[in-house]
Amino acid sequence: MGYTAETRVLQVNPQHPEPEVITAAAGVLRAGGLVAFPTETVYGLGANALDSQAIERIYLAKRRPAYDPLIAHVYDFAQVQQLAIDLPEIARPLTEHFWPGPLTLVFKRAPHVPESIAQGLDTVAIRMPAHPVARALLDQTGFPIAAPSANTFTRPSATTAAHVLEDLQGRVDLVLDGGASTIGLESTVIDLTQDPPVILRPGGVLLEDLKGLIPQLAVNPKYLSNPMPSASPGMMIKHYSPRANVMLFDGPIEVVLIAMADTAQRLIANGKKVGILTLEEEAVHFTGLGARIISLGKREDLSQIGRVLFGAMRALDVQGIDAILVHNFEKIGLGEAISDRLLRAASGRVIRVE
Ligand code: AMP
Ligand code: MG
């Protein structure tokens, strides 16, 4: 059994949220309920971050195991000082540069903050979202809002209200439908309790930009190279996964395209339904195979690819596709986050071709 609720859906203007909608949503949160709302990264499943029973409902609704901690969303820096202690000096310049925005910082947790938000860790992850709906909600409630991505655990994150309902219909009190998230990938998570700080999850803020403030910053190499489930939070290799089996190809692009087309042909001959996520300029390699092809965009337009990636995987799932074929991306700029999500969608398995 999980948390059950009658799910209401309200439309909200993503630029100028209607005050009456925000008031209704804030009321649900104040009463300890769950509200899914748009943010610039992905949709969040929100609850009062200072109410441990409300936090418990998030875990039930998401069917999320007890080892994956949540991000607390804040309205201003004063709320950071309420939630966290021993802030390192770098916190100020980092937040001044990148907040509001897709950057999450892990600090030491203040003693009064429910331990369930961090699942017993003595830390807390905090982000200040930029989305007007998220900001209006935080403003109206006056308390920080714990909000993981609004999807069932291990599924691709929800980037539209329809995706939220696919996973959480009957498990969340209210969904605010404010259209598609503009980034479509989750926040970058930096652990500031380590010295030097480490990126636990690549995301919307780029490593290249962060290095301006933290030159020694690195993406935790264990996280990227180790395909085993890890003890550290949020690093499980199977994550962001559609129901279809994701086959992630890597190698020189000409050989990869041939291997993908051959694999698609073989699977289809064996009666499988195959989906291919491809770049616009590569789609021509896959015509006539009988695969369902989704173009993610042009190679150089990584923001576009990031924005549509999760939705494309979900669209193929809805069509009952058995296998999704896709190739890896260079880990440059947003390509770092995209290739991380693809690796985890593929449960860490990479098909290397030479
Ligand atoms: P989500 O909100 O679904 O995008 O996932 C939240 C992610 O934030 C987790 O999977 C972790 O990677 C990270 N996170 C949250 N809290 C902590 C924490 N206290 N320590 C380290 N990582 C955290
Ligand atoms: Mg998530």
Side-chain angles (χ1 to χ4, degrees):
M1 267 302 291
Y3 177 64
T4 55
E6 194 170 323
T7 301
R8 260 201 311 159
V9 180
L10 291 175
Q11 303 295 316
V12 64
N13 184 312
Q15 292 311 319
H16 306 284
E18 297 79 355
E20 63 277 14
V21 175
I22 298 303
T23 302
V28 173
L29 290 171
R30 246 181 242 118
L34 300 182
V35 177
F37 59 94
T39 85
E40 70 276 23
T41 57
V42 299
Y43 270 67
L45 176 60
N48 180 351
L50 302 176
D51 175 346
S52 52
Q53 280 179 0
I55 289 176
E56 192 50 39
R57 292 198 181 111
I58 292 181
Y59 285 92
L60 289 172
K62 276 187 69 107
R63 303 175 171 91
R64 186 171 181 140
Y67 49 81
D68 209 8
L70 311 178
I71 295 171
H73 293 72
V74 296
Y75 185 71
D76 53 21
F77 199 81
Q79 283 185 333
V80 177
Q81 290 164 317
Q82 282 169 18
L83 293 169
I85 51 174
D86 298 347
L87 304 191
E89 254 165 46
I90 191 71
R92 274 287 179 181
L94 270 177
T95 56
E96 274 160 19
H97 267 78
F98 298 104
W99 278 6
L103 180 68
T104 297
L105 302 172
V106 175
F107 298 105
K108 260 186 90 88
R109 180 165 48 86
H112 69 276
V113 177
E115 147 179 297
S116 54
I117 196 169
Q119 290 304 331
L121 298 169
D122 60 357
T123 53
V124 60
I126 305 180
R127 174 168 108 83
M128 186 191 288
H131 197 291
V133 172
R135 285 196 60 73
L137 259 183
L138 287 162
D139 188 20
Q140 179 78 222
T141 57
F143 51 69
I145 299 176
S149 52
N151 52 277
T152 303
F153 182 66
T154 80
R155 296 266 300 145
S157 299
T159 54
T160 66
H163 298 160
V164 176
L165 292 169
E166 265 175 31
D167 284 16
L168 299 176
Q169 174 86 257
R171 308 178 75 83
V172 49
D173 299 287
L174 175 62
V175 179
L176 298 185
D177 182 352
S181 294
T182 49
I183 298 176
L185 297 169
E186 301 79 357
S187 57
T188 303
V189 180
I190 302 185
D191 186 352
L192 291 184
T193 67
Q194 299 188 44
D195 193 18
V198 173
I199 293 189
L200 298 179
R201 172 175 76 182
V205 170
L206 307 183
L207 172 65
E208 292 86 339
D209 296 332
L210 289 161
K211 277 193 159 167
L213 287 180
I214 313 179
Q216 332 85 297
L217 189 67
V219 178
N220 183 346
K222 191 170 104 215
Y223 164 76
L224 281 181
S225 60
N226 182 358
M228 299 299 292
S230 154
S232 311
M235 293 184 191
M236 279 72 57
I237 197 73
K238 180 175 174 4
H239 203 157
Y240 316 112
S241 302
R243 280 182 271 276
N245 180 30
V246 174
M247 302 177 74
L248 176 60
F249 290 77
D250 200 5
I253 189 64
E254 319 75 56
V255 207
V256 159
L257 293 173
I258 294 169
M260 285 172 70
D262 286 351
T263 305
Q265 207 159 25
R266 182 169 49 75
L267 289 171
I268 291 165
N270 285 322
K272 301 287 188 210
K273 287 175 85 174
V274 173
I276 302 181
L277 299 181
T278 182
L279 296 174
E280 203 172 296
E281 53 271 39
E282 294 167 351
V284 51
H285 289 266
F286 306 117
T287 46
L289 295 173
R292 172 82 170 83
I293 298 166
I294 297 187
S295 166
L296 299 172
K298 290 189 167 56
R299 181 184 305 280
E300 65 272 19
D301 194 354
L302 292 174
S303 335
Q304 161 71 12
I305 294 168
R307 188 156 47 239
V308 301
L309 181 63
F310 288 137
M313 291 187 204
R314 282 178 175 269
L316 291 174
D317 264 354
V318 168
Q319 295 176 45
I321 294 288
D322 299 297
I324 298 177
L325 279 50
V326 60
H327 68 65
N328 219 341
F329 282 75
E330 258 193 284
K331 294 195 183 90
I332 296 174
L334 205 56
E336 178 99 56
I338 292 171
S339 77
D340 167 79
R341 303 309 186 268
L342 287 173
L343 181 68
R344 306 221 280 179
S347 299
R349 290 185 301 266
V350 180
I351 303 166
R352 288 185 206 287
V353 293
E354 299 300 328

